[in-house]
Amino acid sequence: SQELEQSPQSLIVQEGKNLTINCTSSKTLYGLYWYKQKYGEGLIFLMMLQKGGEEKSHEKITAKLDEKKQQSSLHITASQPSHAGIYLCGAQLSGSARQLTFGSGTQLTVLP
Amino acid sequence: NAGVTQTPKFQVLKTGQSMTLQCAQDMNHNSMYWYRQDPGMGLRLIYYSASEGTTDKGEVPNGYNVSRLNKREFSLRLESAAPSQTSVYFCASTPTGYEQYFGPGTRLTVT
């Protein structure tokens, strides 16, 4: 969706390297959701952010929502092959009750 | 606890054929959704059902119909399939908020 820009579209990193994926909107994000998708499978929920400046971590993955609530980043520390997949951000944008708008996804490849 | 299930997993149709994609959830969720996923376009909402007995159009509803059969089941029907409907279809559900739980998807090819 053009309402939610995700970058980069693809990322290839060496195992052990850190990486960041960004999700940006021109509208205020009332809720930001990060999902991971493995090929041929559905989306797995990772984290939800709602408050400006909020930061959450799970294992080696950290997600942040900026103070203006228009940009979120997903940071992976010391990447592993198990981190490979497609990462999608989904957002509740103003005026879209009960609906999520999704970014186009970031394809992450981690080379052993 | 199976979560969200979808059938079939794969389907090949000829242009003009019809079919119904089935979705069921066993989490007692109120809201259910149908998305399609195309390369470079992320997920786009086709239809959703906020609660049993209600359905609403999403971003790309043309060519599709839905039925919320009961609280558990939400089906998506293609009356006359077109090649432009070749995609991966995902069903999702959520209790009352926005954290959505997704099924494994149906890969549909229309020739």
Side-chain angles (χ1 to χ4, degrees):
Chain A
S1 168
Q2 292 183 343
E3 291 183 303
L4 207 58
E5 294 287 338
Q6 201 172 327
S7 62
Q9 287 188 337
S10 65
L11 196 52
I12 302 174
V13 300
Q14 203 71 39
E15 182 177 359
K17 296 294 185 183
N18 302 336
L19 63 104
T20 300
I21 298 168
N22 294 302
C23 182
T24 303
S25 173
S26 57
K27 297 182 178 181
T28 299
L29 303 173
Y30 287 90
L32 192 288
Y33 299 75
W34 283 101
Y35 288 85
K36 179 185 176 183
Q37 182 183 23
K38 290 190 174 181
Y39 180 78
E41 300 180 16
L43 280 69
I44 299 170
F45 171 76
L46 296 176
M47 278 174 277
M48 175 183 71
L49 304 164
Q50 289 186 305
K51 299 178 182 177
E54 187 175 8
E55 178 175 322
K56 288 187 178 178
S57 293
H58 176 67
E59 297 181 342
K60 294 185 178 180
I61 301 177
T62 300
K64 300 178 185 179
L65 183 62
D66 74 340
E67 290 288 346
K68 290 186 177 180
K69 295 176 64 176
Q70 289 186 308
Q71 183 170 358
S72 178
S73 60
L74 185 82
H75 184 77
I76 299 177
T77 303
S79 59
Q80 302 170 351
S82 61
H83 288 127
I86 300 172
Y87 289 82
L88 293 102
C89 60
Q92 182 201 348
L93 304 177
S94 56
S96 299
R98 289 191 171 273
Q99 295 182 40
L100 292 182
T101 297
F102 284 88
S104 56
T106 296
Q107 174 82 56
L108 173 63
T109 302
V110 181
L111 301 175
Chain B
N1 190 337
V4 179
T5 57
Q6 291 182 237
T7 56
K9 288 191 175 182
F10 301 93
Q11 184 71 50
V12 178
L13 291 177
K14 293 185 178 179
T15 297
Q17 287 184 321
S18 62
M19 78 161 296
T20 300
L21 281 64
Q22 306 286 354
C23 174
Q25 51 91 9
D26 61 1
M27 297 174 283
N28 202 35
H29 287 172
N30 289 317
S31 301
M32 297 185 73
Y33 304 80
W34 275 106
Y35 293 92
R36 60 179 288 173
Q37 185 178 36
D38 302 293
M41 302 192 73
L43 289 169
R44 292 183 292 170
L45 182 64
I46 305 171
Y47 271 94
Y48 69 101
S49 171
S51 61
E52 186 179 355
T54 67
T55 61
D56 287 286
K57 295 179 180 180
E59 182 184 354
V60 289
N62 292 341
Y64 304 95
N65 285 301
V66 291
S67 295
R68 184 74 183 268
L69 304 170
N70 46 57
K71 194 170 186 179
R72 290 188 65 248
E73 299 171 289
F74 189 37
S75 63
L76 178 72
R77 183 161 178 83
L78 286 70
E79 290 291 351
S80 179
S84 61
Q85 294 178 305
T86 293
S87 188
V88 181
Y89 292 85
F90 287 101
C91 176
S93 69
T94 184
T96 54
Y98 298 89
E99 180 182 335
Q100 296 185 14
Y101 297 80
F102 285 79
T106 294
R107 291 186 172 273
L108 175 66
T109 301
V110 183
T111 61

